[in-house]
Coordinates of all heavy atoms in Angstrom, one line a residue:
R1 N 0.8 -1.2 0.0 CA 0.0 0.0 0.0 C 0.9 1.3 0.0 O 1.9 1.3 0.6 CB -0.9 0.0 1.2 CG -1.8 -1.1 1.3 CD -3.1 -0.8 0.6 NE -3.9 -2.0 0.6 CZ -4.9 -2.2 -0.3 NH1 -5.1 -1.3 -1.2 NH2 -5.6 -3.2 -0.3
L2 N 0.4 2.3 -0.6 CA 1.1 3.6 -0.7 C 1.0 4.3 0.7 O 0.0 4.2 1.4 CB 0.5 4.5 -1.7 CG 0.7 4.0 -3.2 CD1 -0.1 5.0 -4.1 CD2 2.2 4.1 -3.5
Q3 N 2.0 4.9 1.1 CA 2.0 5.8 2.2 C 2.2 7.2 1.8 O 2.8 7.4 0.7 CB 3.2 5.4 3.2 CG 3.0 4.0 3.7 CD 1.7 3.8 4.5 OE1 1.4 4.6 5.3 NE2 1.0 2.7 4.2
P4 N 1.8 8.2 2.6 CA 1.9 9.6 2.1 C 3.3 10.0 1.6 O 3.5 10.7 0.7 CB 1.5 10.4 3.3 CG 0.6 9.5 4.1 CD 1.1 8.1 3.8
G5 N 4.4 9.5 2.2 CA 5.7 9.8 1.9 C 6.3 9.1 0.6 O 7.4 9.4 0.2
D6 N 5.5 8.2 0.1 CA 5.9 7.4 -1.0 C 5.8 8.0 -2.4 O 6.3 7.5 -3.4 CB 5.2 6.0 -1.1 CG 5.5 5.1 0.1 OD1 6.5 5.4 0.8 OD2 4.7 4.2 0.3
L7 N 5.1 9.2 -2.4 CA 4.8 9.8 -3.7 C 6.0 10.7 -4.2 O 6.5 11.5 -3.5 CB 3.6 10.7 -3.6 CG 2.3 9.9 -3.3 CD1 1.2 10.9 -3.2 CD2 2.0 8.9 -4.4
Q8 N 6.3 10.5 -5.4 CA 7.3 11.3 -6.1 C 6.7 11.5 -7.5 O 6.5 10.6 -8.2 CB 8.6 10.7 -6.2 CG 9.3 10.6 -4.9 CD 10.7 10.0 -5.0 OE1 11.1 9.6 -6.1 NE2 11.4 9.9 -3.9
M9 N 6.5 12.8 -7.9 CA 6.0 13.1 -9.2 C 7.1 12.9 -10.2 O 8.2 13.3 -10.0 CB 5.5 14.5 -9.3 CG 4.3 14.8 -8.4 SD 2.9 13.7 -8.7 CE 2.4 14.3 -10.3
T10 N 6.7 12.2 -11.3 CA 7.7 12.0 -12.3 C 7.3 12.7 -13.6 O 6.1 13.1 -13.7 CB 7.9 10.5 -12.6 OG1 6.6 10.0 -13.1 CG2 8.2 9.7 -11.4
T11 N 8.2 12.8 -14.6 CA 7.8 13.4 -15.8 C 7.4 12.3 -16.8 O 7.3 12.6 -18.0 CB 9.0 14.2 -16.4 OG1 10.1 13.3 -16.5 CG2 9.3 15.4 -15.5
S12 N 7.2 11.1 -16.4 CA 6.8 10.0 -17.3 C 5.4 10.4 -17.9 O 4.6 11.0 -17.3 CB 6.7 8.8 -16.4 OG 6.1 7.7 -17.2
S13 N 5.2 9.9 -19.1 CA 4.0 10.1 -19.8 C 2.9 9.1 -19.3 O 1.7 9.3 -19.6 CB 4.2 10.1 -21.3 OG 4.6 8.8 -21.7
S14 N 3.3 8.1 -18.7 CA 2.3 7.1 -18.2 C 1.6 7.6 -17.0 O 2.2 8.2 -16.1 CB 3.0 5.7 -17.9 OG 3.9 5.8 -16.9
S15 N 0.4 7.3 -16.9 CA -0.4 7.8 -15.7 C -0.4 6.7 -14.6 O -0.3 5.5 -14.9 CB -1.9 8.0 -16.1 OG -2.0 9.0 -17.0
Q16 N -0.5 7.2 -13.4 CA -0.6 6.3 -12.3 C -2.0 6.4 -11.8 O -2.6 7.5 -11.7 CB 0.4 6.7 -11.1 CG 1.8 6.5 -11.5 CD 2.7 6.9 -10.4 OE1 2.5 7.9 -9.7 NE2 3.8 6.2 -10.2
F17 N -2.5 5.2 -11.3 CA -3.9 5.2 -10.9 C -3.9 4.6 -9.5 O -3.1 3.7 -9.1 CB -4.8 4.3 -11.8 CG -4.8 4.8 -13.2 CD1 -4.0 4.3 -14.2 CD2 -5.6 5.9 -13.5 CE1 -4.0 4.8 -15.5 CE2 -5.6 6.4 -14.8 CZ -4.8 5.9 -15.8
V18 N -4.8 5.1 -8.6 CA -4.9 4.6 -7.3 C -6.4 4.2 -6.9 O -7.3 4.8 -7.5 CB -4.4 5.7 -6.3 CG1 -2.9 5.9 -6.4 CG2 -5.2 7.0 -6.4
R19 N -6.5 3.2 -6.1 CA -7.8 2.8 -5.6 C -8.1 3.6 -4.4 O -7.3 4.3 -3.8 CB -7.8 1.3 -5.4 CG -7.6 0.6 -6.7 CD -7.5 -0.9 -6.5 NE -8.9 -1.4 -6.2 CZ -9.2 -2.7 -6.2 NH1 -8.2 -3.6 -6.5 NH2 -10.4 -3.1 -5.9
A20 N -9.4 3.4 -3.9 CA -9.8 4.2 -2.7 C -8.9 4.0 -1.5 O -8.6 5.0 -0.8 CB -11.3 3.8 -2.4
S21 N -8.5 2.8 -1.2 CA -7.7 2.6 0.0 C -6.3 3.3 -0.1 O -5.8 3.8 0.8 CB -7.5 1.1 0.2 OG -7.0 0.5 -0.9
D22 N -5.8 3.2 -1.3 CA -4.5 3.9 -1.5 C -4.7 5.4 -1.5 O -3.8 6.2 -0.9 CB -3.9 3.5 -2.9 CG -3.5 2.1 -2.9 OD1 -3.1 1.5 -1.9 OD2 -3.6 1.5 -4.0
L23 N -5.7 5.9 -2.0 CA -6.0 7.4 -2.0 C -6.2 7.8 -0.6 O -5.7 8.9 -0.2 CB -7.3 7.7 -2.9 CG -7.6 9.1 -3.0 CD1 -6.5 9.9 -3.6 CD2 -8.9 9.3 -3.9
A24 N -6.9 7.0 0.2 CA -7.1 7.4 1.6 C -5.7 7.5 2.4 O -5.5 8.4 3.1 CB -8.0 6.3 2.3
A25 N -4.8 6.5 2.1 CA -3.5 6.6 2.7 C -2.7 7.8 2.3 O -2.1 8.5 3.1 CB -2.7 5.3 2.4
I26 N -2.8 8.1 1.0 CA -2.1 9.3 0.5 C -2.6 10.6 1.1 O -1.8 11.5 1.5 CB -2.3 9.4 -1.1 CG1 -1.5 8.3 -1.7 CG2 -1.8 10.8 -1.6 CD1 -1.9 8.1 -3.2
L27 N -3.9 10.7 1.3 CA -4.5 11.9 1.9 C -4.6 11.9 3.4 O -4.9 12.9 4.0 CB -5.9 12.1 1.3 CG -6.0 12.3 -0.2 CD1 -7.4 12.5 -0.7 CD2 -5.2 13.6 -0.6
G28 N -4.3 10.8 4.0 CA -4.3 10.7 5.4 C -5.7 10.6 6.1 O -5.9 11.2 7.1
V29 N -6.6 10.0 5.3 CA -8.0 9.9 5.8 C -8.4 8.5 5.8 O -7.7 7.6 5.2 CB -9.0 10.8 5.0 CG1 -8.6 12.3 5.1 CG2 -9.0 10.4 3.6
N30 N -9.6 8.2 6.3 CA -10.1 6.9 6.3 C -10.8 6.6 4.9 O -11.3 7.5 4.3 CB -11.2 6.7 7.4 CG -11.6 5.3 7.7 OD1 -12.3 4.7 6.9 ND2 -11.1 4.8 8.8
K31 N -10.9 5.3 4.6 CA -11.5 5.0 3.3 C -13.0 5.4 3.2 O -13.5 5.8 2.2 CB -11.4 3.5 3.1 CG -11.8 3.0 1.7 CD -11.6 1.5 1.6 CE -12.2 1.0 0.3 NZ -12.0 -0.5 0.2
S32 N -13.7 5.4 4.4 CA -15.0 5.9 4.4 C -15.1 7.4 4.1 O -16.1 7.9 3.5 CB -15.7 5.6 5.7 OG -15.1 6.3 6.8
T33 N -14.1 8.1 4.4 CA -14.1 9.6 4.1 C -14.0 9.7 2.6 O -14.6 10.6 2.0 CB -12.9 10.3 4.8 OG1 -13.0 10.1 6.2 CG2 -12.8 11.7 4.5
I34 N -13.2 8.9 1.9 CA -13.1 8.9 0.5 C -14.4 8.7 -0.1 O -14.8 9.4 -1.0 CB -12.0 7.9 0.0 CG1 -10.6 8.2 0.5 CG2 -12.1 7.8 -1.5 CD1 -10.1 9.6 0.1
R35 N -15.2 7.7 0.4 CA -16.5 7.4 -0.1 C -17.4 8.6 0.1 O -18.2 9.0 -0.8 CB -17.1 6.2 0.5 CG -16.5 4.9 0.0 CD -17.3 3.7 0.6 NE -16.4 2.6 0.9 CZ -16.1 2.2 2.1 NH1 -16.7 2.8 3.2 NH2 -15.2 1.3 2.3
R36 N -17.4 9.2 1.2 CA -18.2 10.4 1.5 C -17.9 11.6 0.7 O -18.8 12.2 0.1 CB -18.1 10.7 3.0 CG -19.1 11.7 3.5 CD -19.1 11.8 5.1 NE -17.8 12.2 5.6 CZ -17.0 11.3 6.3 NH1 -17.4 10.1 6.6 NH2 -15.9 11.7 6.8
W37 N -16.6 11.9 0.5 CA -16.2 13.0 -0.3 C -16.5 12.7 -1.8 O -16.9 13.6 -2.5 CB -14.7 13.2 -0.2 CG -14.2 13.8 1.0 CD1 -15.0 14.3 2.1 CD2 -12.8 14.0 1.5 NE1 -14.2 14.8 3.1 CE2 -12.9 14.6 2.7 CE3 -11.6 13.7 0.9 CZ2 -11.7 14.9 3.4 CZ3 -10.5 14.0 1.6 CH2 -10.5 14.6 2.8
R38 N -16.4 11.5 -2.2 CA -16.8 11.1 -3.6 C -18.3 11.4 -3.8 O -18.7 12.0 -4.8 CB -16.5 9.7 -3.9 CG -16.9 9.2 -5.2 CD -16.6 7.8 -5.4 NE -17.2 7.3 -6.7 CZ -17.4 6.0 -6.9 NH1 -17.1 5.1 -6.1 NH2 -18.0 5.7 -8.1
A39 N -19.1 10.9 -2.9 CA -20.6 11.1 -3.0 C -21.0 12.6 -3.0 O -21.9 13.0 -3.6 CB -21.3 10.4 -1.9
A40 N -20.2 13.4 -2.2 CA -20.5 14.8 -2.1 C -19.9 15.6 -3.2 O -20.0 16.9 -3.3 CB -20.0 15.3 -0.8
G41 N -19.1 15.0 -4.1 CA -18.5 15.7 -5.2 C -17.3 16.5 -4.8 O -16.9 17.4 -5.5
K42 N -16.6 16.1 -3.7 CA -15.5 16.8 -3.2 C -14.2 16.3 -3.7 O -13.1 16.7 -3.3 CB -15.4 16.8 -1.7 CG -16.6 17.6 -1.0 CD -16.5 17.5 0.5 CE -17.6 18.4 1.1 NZ -17.5 18.4 2.5
L43 N -14.2 15.3 -4.6 CA -13.0 14.7 -5.2 C -13.3 14.7 -6.7 O -14.4 14.6 -7.2 CB -12.8 13.2 -4.7 CG -12.2 13.0 -3.4 CD1 -12.2 11.5 -3.0 CD2 -10.8 13.6 -3.2
P44 N -12.2 14.6 -7.5 CA -12.4 14.4 -8.9 C -13.1 13.1 -9.2 O -13.0 12.2 -8.4 CB -10.9 14.4 -9.5 CG -10.1 15.0 -8.4 CD -10.8 14.8 -7.1
D45 N -13.8 13.0 -10.3 CA -14.5 11.8 -10.6 C -13.5 10.6 -10.9 O -12.6 10.8 -11.6 CB -15.4 12.0 -11.8 CG -16.5 12.9 -11.6 OD1 -17.0 12.9 -10.4 OD2 -17.0 13.5 -12.5
P46 N -13.8 9.5 -10.2 CA -13.0 8.3 -10.6 C -13.6 7.6 -11.8 O -14.5 8.1 -12.4 CB -13.2 7.4 -9.3 CG -14.6 7.8 -8.9 CD -14.8 9.2 -9.2
F47 N -12.9 6.6 -12.3 CA -13.5 5.8 -13.4 C -13.4 4.3 -13.1 O -12.5 3.9 -12.3 CB -13.0 6.2 -14.7 CG -11.5 6.0 -14.9 CD1 -11.0 4.8 -15.5 CD2 -10.6 6.9 -14.5 CE1 -9.7 4.6 -15.6 CE2 -9.2 6.7 -14.7 CZ -8.8 5.5 -15.2
R48 N -14.2 3.6 -13.7 CA -14.2 2.1 -13.5 C -13.3 1.4 -14.5 O -13.4 1.6 -15.7 CB -15.6 1.6 -13.6 CG -16.5 1.9 -12.5 CD -17.7 1.0 -12.5 NE -18.5 1.3 -11.3 CZ -18.3 0.7 -10.1 NH1 -17.3 -0.1 -9.9 NH2 -19.1 1.0 -9.1
L49 N -12.4 0.6 -14.0 CA -11.6 -0.3 -14.8 C -12.4 -1.6 -15.1 O -12.2 -2.2 -16.1 CB -10.3 -0.7 -14.1 CG -9.3 0.5 -14.0 CD1 -8.0 0.0 -13.3 CD2 -8.9 1.0 -15.4
S50 N -13.2 -2.0 -14.1 CA -14.1 -3.1 -14.3 C -15.3 -2.9 -13.4 O -15.4 -1.9 -12.7 CB -13.3 -4.4 -13.9 OG -13.1 -4.5 -12.5
S51 N -16.1 -3.9 -13.3 CA -17.3 -3.8 -12.5 C -17.0 -3.7 -11.0 O -17.8 -3.2 -10.2 CB -18.3 -4.9 -12.7 OG -17.7 -6.1 -12.4
R52 N -15.8 -4.1 -10.6 CA -15.5 -4.1 -9.2 C -14.3 -3.2 -8.9 O -13.8 -3.2 -7.7 CB -15.2 -5.5 -8.8 CG -16.4 -6.4 -8.8 CD -16.1 -7.8 -8.4 NE -15.5 -7.8 -7.1 CZ -15.5 -8.9 -6.3 NH1 -16.0 -10.0 -6.7 NH2 -15.0 -8.8 -5.1
V53 N -13.7 -2.6 -9.9 CA -12.5 -1.8 -9.6 C -12.7 -0.3 -10.1 O -12.9 -0.1 -11.3 CB -11.3 -2.4 -10.4 CG1 -10.0 -1.5 -10.2 CG2 -11.0 -3.8 -9.9
T54 N -12.6 0.6 -9.1 CA -12.7 2.0 -9.4 C -11.4 2.7 -9.0 O -10.9 2.4 -8.0 CB -13.9 2.6 -8.6 OG1 -15.1 2.0 -8.9 CG2 -14.0 4.1 -8.8
V55 N -10.9 3.5 -9.9 CA -9.6 4.2 -9.7 C -9.7 5.7 -9.9 O -10.6 6.1 -10.7 CB -8.5 3.6 -10.5 CG1 -8.3 2.1 -10.2 CG2 -8.8 3.7 -12.0
W56 N -8.8 6.4 -9.4 CA -8.6 7.8 -9.7 C -7.2 8.0 -10.3 O -6.3 7.2 -10.0 CB -8.5 8.6 -8.4 CG -9.9 8.9 -7.7 CD1 -10.6 10.0 -7.9 CD2 -10.6 8.0 -6.9 NE1 -11.8 9.9 -7.1 CE2 -11.8 8.7 -6.5 CE3 -10.4 6.7 -6.4 CZ2 -12.7 8.1 -5.7 CZ3 -11.3 6.1 -5.5 CH2 -12.5 6.8 -5.2
E57 N -7.1 8.9 -11.2 CA -5.8 9.3 -11.8 C -5.1 10.1 -10.8 O -5.5 11.1 -10.3 CB -6.0 10.0 -13.1 CG -4.7 10.2 -13.8 CD -4.8 10.7 -15.2 OE1 -6.0 10.9 -15.7 OE2 -3.8 10.8 -15.9
L58 N -3.9 9.6 -10.3 CA -3.2 10.2 -9.3 C -2.8 11.7 -9.5 O -3.0 12.6 -8.7 CB -1.9 9.5 -9.0 CG -1.0 10.0 -7.8 CD1 -1.8 10.0 -6.5 CD2 0.2 9.1 -7.7
K59 N -2.4 12.0 -10.7 CA -2.0 13.4 -11.0 C -3.2 14.4 -10.9 O -3.1 15.5 -10.5 CB -1.3 13.6 -12.3 CG -2.1 13.3 -13.6 CD -1.2 13.4 -14.8 CE -2.0 13.1 -16.0 NZ -1.2 13.2 -17.2
E60 N -4.4 13.8 -11.3 CA -5.6 14.6 -11.2 C -6.0 14.9 -9.8 O -6.4 16.0 -9.4 CB -6.7 13.9 -11.9 CG -8.0 14.7 -12.1 CD -9.0 13.9 -12.9 OE1 -8.7 13.5 -14.0 OE2 -10.1 13.7 -12.4
V61 N -5.9 13.9 -8.9 CA -6.2 14.1 -7.5 C -5.2 15.0 -6.8 O -5.6 15.9 -6.1 CB -6.2 12.7 -6.7 CG1 -6.3 12.9 -5.2 CG2 -7.3 11.9 -7.3
L62 N -3.9 14.9 -7.1 CA -2.9 15.8 -6.6 C -3.1 17.2 -7.0 O -2.9 18.2 -6.2 CB -1.5 15.3 -6.9 CG -1.1 14.0 -6.3 CD1 0.3 13.5 -6.8 CD2 -1.2 14.0 -4.8
A63 N -3.5 17.4 -8.3 CA -3.8 18.8 -8.7 C -5.0 19.4 -8.0 O -5.0 20.6 -7.7 CB -4.0 18.8 -10.3
F64 N -6.0 18.6 -7.8 CA -7.2 19.0 -7.1 C -6.8 19.4 -5.7 O -7.3 20.4 -5.2 CB -8.2 17.8 -7.1 CG -9.4 18.1 -6.3 CD1 -10.5 18.8 -6.9 CD2 -9.6 17.6 -5.1 CE1 -11.6 19.1 -6.2 CE2 -10.8 17.8 -4.4 CZ -11.8 18.6 -5.0
V65 N -6.0 18.6 -5.0 CA -5.6 18.9 -3.6 C -4.8 20.2 -3.6 O -5.0 21.1 -2.7 CB -4.8 17.8 -3.0 CG1 -4.1 18.2 -1.7 CG2 -5.7 16.5 -2.8
E66 N -3.9 20.4 -4.5 CA -3.1 21.6 -4.6 C -4.0 22.9 -4.8 O -3.8 23.9 -4.2 CB -2.1 21.6 -5.8 CG -0.9 20.8 -5.4 CD 0.0 21.5 -4.4 OE1 0.2 22.7 -4.4 OE2 0.4 20.8 -3.4
Q67 N -5.0 22.7 -5.6 CA -6.0 23.8 -5.9 C -6.7 24.1 -4.6 O -6.9 25.3 -4.2 CB -7.0 23.4 -7.0 CG -8.0 24.5 -7.2 CD -9.1 24.0 -8.2 OE1 -9.3 22.8 -8.4 NE2 -9.8 24.9 -8.8
K68 N -7.1 23.1 -3.9 CA -7.8 23.3 -2.6 C -6.9 24.0 -1.6 O -7.3 24.9 -0.8 CB -8.4 22.0 -2.0 CG -9.5 21.4 -2.8 CD -10.7 22.3 -2.6 CE -11.9 21.7 -3.2 NZ -13.1 22.5 -3.2
R69 N -5.7 23.6 -1.5 CA -4.7 24.2 -0.6 C -4.5 25.6 -0.9 O -4.4 26.5 -0.1 CB -3.4 23.4 -0.7 CG -2.4 23.8 0.3 CD -1.1 23.1 0.2 NE -0.5 23.5 -1.1 CZ 0.8 24.0 -1.1 NH1 1.5 24.0 -0.1 NH2 1.3 24.4 -2.3
D70 N -4.3 25.9 -2.2 CA -4.1 27.3 -2.6 C -5.3 28.2 -2.3 O -5.1 29.4 -1.9 CB -3.8 27.4 -4.1 CG -2.5 26.8 -4.5 OD1 -1.6 26.6 -3.6 OD2 -2.2 26.5 -5.7
L71 N -6.5 27.7 -2.3 CA -7.7 28.5 -2.0 C -7.8 28.8 -0.5 O -8.4 29.7 -0.1 CB -8.9 27.8 -2.5 CG -9.1 27.7 -4.0 CD1 -10.3 26.8 -4.3 CD2 -9.3 29.1 -4.6
S72 N -7.1 27.9 0.3 CA -7.2 28.1 1.7 C -6.2 29.0 2.3 O -6.2 29.4 3.5 CB -7.2 26.7 2.4 OG -5.8 26.2 2.3
L73 N -5.2 29.4 1.5 CA -4.1 30.3 2.0 C -4.6 31.7 2.0 O -5.4 32.2 1.4 CB -2.9 30.1 1.1 CG -2.2 28.8 1.2 CD1 -1.1 28.7 0.2 CD2 -1.8 28.5 2.6

């Protein structure tokens, strides 16, 4: 599982995708918070890889968090 300190942005053209549990670890919240934020529209939209696998594009989530952080300053 990813931990908050494990992230390093690369200039690679390939995208990285994270599931809800990994996203929760990155953001330092519980997985239920991810579900609640998703339902409330407080996160970028995820997409389904299959009927049982939903993922977020990591760079999109990080950009969203940066935007939120900038608005709070």
Side-chain angles (χ1 to χ4, degrees):
R1 300 274 175 200
L2 292 174
Q3 297 300 314
D6 292 344
L7 296 179
Q8 292 182 354
M9 294 303 290
T10 64
T11 57
S12 170
S13 63
S14 64
S15 294
Q16 292 180 321
F17 301 98
V18 292
R19 294 177 75 168
S21 57
D22 296 326
L23 184 57
I26 291 165
L27 297 177
V29 299
N30 193 289
K31 189 175 171 181
S32 62
T33 301
I34 297 298
R35 284 192 218 109
R36 192 172 52 252
W37 287 353
R38 177 182 171 201
K42 293 183 178 182
L43 286 173
D45 290 332
F47 63 95
R48 289 198 174 275
L49 290 178
S50 71
S51 62
R52 296 179 56 160
V53 178
T54 301
V55 296
W56 283 263
E57 190 169 1
L58 183 57
K59 67 181 178 182
E60 189 175 304
V61 172
L62 294 176
F64 178 80
V65 169
E66 279 295 313
Q67 178 187 21
K68 290 292 187 184
R69 186 183 70 126
D70 291 344
L71 290 174
S72 70
L73 294 178

